Amino acid sequence: MGGVTDSGLAPLPATDRPEVAARLRDALLAASFTADGLLDLLGAPAYAALARSETVPALRATRGDTPLETLVRLFLLQQPAPHARVAAVLPVEEALEGGWLLRVGGDEVAATVDVRPYGGPGGEDWFIVSDLGCAVGGAGGIGRRDEAVVLGVGGASMTLAGITVRTPVASALDLGTGSGIQALHASQHATRVTATDVNPRALHITALTLALSGAPAADLREGSLFEPVRNDETFDLIVSNPPFVISPGARLTYRDGGMGGDDLCRSLVQQAGERLNEGGFAQFLANWQHVAGEDWQDRLRSWVPRGCDAWIVQREVQDITQYAELWLRDAGDHRGDPAEYQARYDAWLDEFEARKVKAIGFGWITLRRTGAAEPSVTVEEWPHPVEQPLGEAIRAHFDRLDFLREYDDAALLEGHFRLVAEVVQEQVGLPGAEDPEHVVLRQHRGMRRATKVDTIGAGFAGVCDGTLSAGRILDAIAQLVGEDPVLLRDRTPAQIRLLVEQGFLEPVV
């Protein structure tokens, strides 16, 4: 497949020359054009500024003519460079022939795409390809109105990559692949990766990302959501950072779903269940409406398909004015004609008012296909800081659900538990008081949860080292505090279940 040309967008490098991508990759690595190399060259402030689409600090830091400075200015800052200088670093003629570079001016060359180093979870040196000027994806005010523009890696992409369960699987599906970051991650632990996108330009760029990163090619299919997937196809992992923005119309392919309200996200979640193999995970980022007179948690529970456990976490809520302003700025509308901006703003508010929407939530949705008679659905709000990556913590959450389903209270008391590492106890009360008003257990890893417990719960958790059964620990506590051990055994299992479910205690099998 040769270069792709879309109205208003530059032609893309060819994907039918893998040897060119391989030699280009070798040259980039030889010049230390990597995430670590950039940090060393630019320094932390300029490196962080690039993630905000601010280029001035990086321009100031690359005034020399070293190979790495040349590559940064060429591929990250979109500055033309003398042909001779580039030829000293890259196989320039092959790059020109393959469409990675083009001739400009007198004797200069320029990049046709943004190429951004990206460090993989195992220290891999990867490269994310995107359209020029669009390396930072998501609500960053890129100011590009081209319908088919393909963005690079933004905060949402990084979040999804971090929460994805990374167990080895036979098959993975990346819906709405964009620049290919999720497909790239999946290629490390999935035997077969399928990636779909309604935008053919995105599929082309995904192929470039994979080739330049030295990753296996994916099965690339054009179409919306599950449309390109055969009816008999199922997967062990489905991931999607979909065009979840709730907007009037569908102006921008990379962000606007084109369905009314939050119907796109709802449809994606509801259709995923039948596409999962037993035990398989589907993980999405999504927006959802907070509708007047309707409980938002009940709304999301109604999305969960039959036969699936679900864990839905709301990370942020914005009122409709904040939300409209965020995405109007993303499209660059605030820099255009004030009357046009006001008209667009009005259209967003009209849409929300017609649907009785008061706010918009953002968060993560994880499904797991289960054969359990009564699947578990947890919907919660957790806007507090977490520790990424969370994939292992999310997998462990569902493992604990299986454990709690299998153990009734009697079996729970026979079980052995261990306090998870880096859990601390805090006592809260008035200064000088003899006893605390309440005790808080706090995690310093994963979700970083905090939960209130009574003194019995705190004492129980503190003793859990996997040696004694829960029942024997409670009997010892009852003797210590002078309580009836039978009554204590009756009332404590609910608290033990909560501590296990939230990840403070782990079963010792």
Side-chain angles (χ1 to χ4, degrees):
M1 180 166 60
V4 170
T5 303
D6 294 291
S7 177
L9 295 173
L12 295 173
T15 58
D16 56 0
R17 299 286 303 278
E19 72 282 358
V20 175
R23 280 194 276 275
L24 187 58
R25 170 179 171 79
D26 290 343
L28 296 178
L29 294 178
S32 296
F33 188 65
T34 64
D36 289 341
L38 287 186
L39 183 59
D40 290 342
L41 172 67
L42 302 178
Y47 187 79
L50 275 179
R52 303 189 300 269
S53 294
E54 295 290 350
T55 59
V56 172
L59 285 167
R60 293 172 60 87
T62 55
R63 291 170 171 167
D65 58 1
T66 66
L68 182 54
E69 287 172 297
T70 298
L71 293 177
V72 170
R73 294 179 70 87
L74 187 67
F75 285 117
L76 267 67
L77 305 178
Q78 281 85 62
Q79 301 293 309
H83 183 283
R85 184 181 298 175
V86 176
V89 186
L90 300 177
V92 67
E93 296 305 323
E94 288 182 279
L96 285 165
E97 184 181 350
W100 293 91
L101 302 175
L102 54 80
R103 298 183 186 275
V104 295
D107 191 31
E108 291 186 319
V109 297
T112 58
V113 288
D114 187 293
V115 175
R116 188 151 302 217
Y118 177 85
E124 301 90 350
D125 288 315
W126 289 340
F127 299 96
I128 307 300
V129 179
S130 63
D131 274 313
L132 295 174
C134 300
V136 179
I142 61 170
R144 291 288 298 272
R145 300 175 183 230
D146 310 273
E147 180 184 349
V149 71
V150 179
L151 277 68
V153 176
S157 299
M158 296 287 286
T159 294
L160 180 58
I163 68 172
T164 300
V165 176
R166 297 295 175 193
T167 53
V169 295
S171 57
L173 172 64
D174 176 17
L175 289 176
T177 187
S179 60
I181 178 61
Q182 309 306 330
L184 181 57
H185 274 279
S187 71
Q188 300 301 291
H189 64 102
T191 303
R192 174 173 57 87
V193 176
T194 302
T196 73
D197 205 290
V198 71
N199 182 3
R201 189 176 181 88
L203 297 175
H204 192 110
I205 283 182
T206 290
L208 298 175
T209 290
L210 295 173
L212 198 58
S213 297
D219 179 5
L220 304 176
R221 305 182 192 177
E222 183 180 345
S224 177
L225 302 181
F226 289 101
E227 287 177 1
V229 178
R230 297 192 309 271
N231 291 334
D232 61 344
E233 281 186 288
T234 55
F235 301 87
D236 301 307
L237 175 66
I238 300 172
V239 293
S240 183
N241 176 19
F244 54 66
V245 176
I246 301 171
S247 62
R251 293 172 58 205
L252 301 174
T253 302
Y254 71 85
R255 67 164 209 195
D256 298 326
M259 297 185 186
D262 51 18
D263 283 354
L264 182 136
C265 291
R266 176 186 56 78
S267 297
L268 183 62
V269 173
Q270 289 180 336
Q271 294 174 25
E274 62 187 8
R275 301 295 187 177
L276 282 176
N277 293 325
E278 185 72 19
F281 286 92
Q283 299 186 263
F284 314 105
L285 301 185
N287 274 171
W288 44 77
Q289 298 173 151
H290 285 232
V291 179
E294 183 178 345
D295 185 282
W296 69 270
Q297 293 179 319
D298 289 343
R299 181 183 187 84
L300 289 176
R301 288 189 185 95
S302 73
W303 291 10
V304 178
R306 296 179 61 184
C308 288
D309 290 325
W311 185 15
I312 302 174
V313 182
Q314 180 167 271
R315 296 287 290 156
E316 183 181 1
V317 181
Q318 291 183 312
D319 67 49
I320 56 176
T321 59
Q322 292 174 312
Y323 189 79
E325 290 162 13
L326 172 71
W327 294 108
L328 287 168
R329 287 180 175 272
D330 170 72
D333 291 322
H334 61 301
R335 293 192 289 265
D337 176 55
E340 184 178 347
Y341 173 78
Q342 182 175 345
R344 291 192 185 279
Y345 200 150
D346 273 334
W348 282 66
L349 296 186
D350 285 343
E351 179 81 5
F352 289 137
E353 289 175 8
R355 295 179 177 274
K356 300 182 180 179
V357 176
K358 301 300 182 183
I360 304 294
F362 167 80
W364 321 322
I365 297 176
T366 300
L367 307 177
R368 185 190 60 168
R369 190 76 187 176
T370 178
E374 295 184 12
S376 169
V377 177
T378 300
V379 183
E380 62 175 323
E381 185 165 21
W382 190 254
H384 311 294
V386 298
E387 181 192 45
Q388 285 275 36
L390 273 171
E392 179 59 24
I394 290 175
R395 184 202 59 76
H397 167 87
F398 287 92
D399 286 348
R400 294 192 300 270
L401 289 183
D402 287 340
F403 171 84
L404 292 172
R405 267 196 291 249
E406 294 173 5
Y407 282 67
D408 61 18
D409 286 355
L412 198 69
L413 293 176
E414 292 298 318
H416 293 239
F417 300 91
R418 181 187 297 117
L419 185 67
V420 173
E422 297 191 43
V423 172
V424 298
Q425 174 180 307
E426 301 173 359
Q427 295 185 349
V428 182
L430 294 174
E434 184 175 345
D435 296 313
E437 292 181 19
H438 57 264
V439 178
V440 174
L441 298 182
R442 187 178 301 278
Q443 302 168 350
H444 284 278
R445 304 297 301 273
M447 290 292 288
R448 294 179 175 169
R449 292 188 184 277
T451 190
K452 290 182 183 179
V453 293
D454 60 22
T455 54
I456 300 298
F460 177 85
V463 175
C464 283
D465 62 1
T467 304
L468 299 175
S469 70
R472 290 189 63 186
I473 293 174
L474 290 178
D475 290 344
I477 292 175
Q479 185 176 7
L480 183 66
V481 300
E483 283 205 32
D484 184 332
V486 175
L487 294 178
L488 192 60
R489 279 174 171 253
D490 285 344
R491 69 179 176 86
T492 307
Q495 192 166 189
I496 297 174
R497 287 183 181 278
L498 178 66
L499 292 175
V500 171
E501 180 182 347
Q502 294 191 345
F504 291 92
L505 297 176
E506 60 184 8
V508 177
V509 179

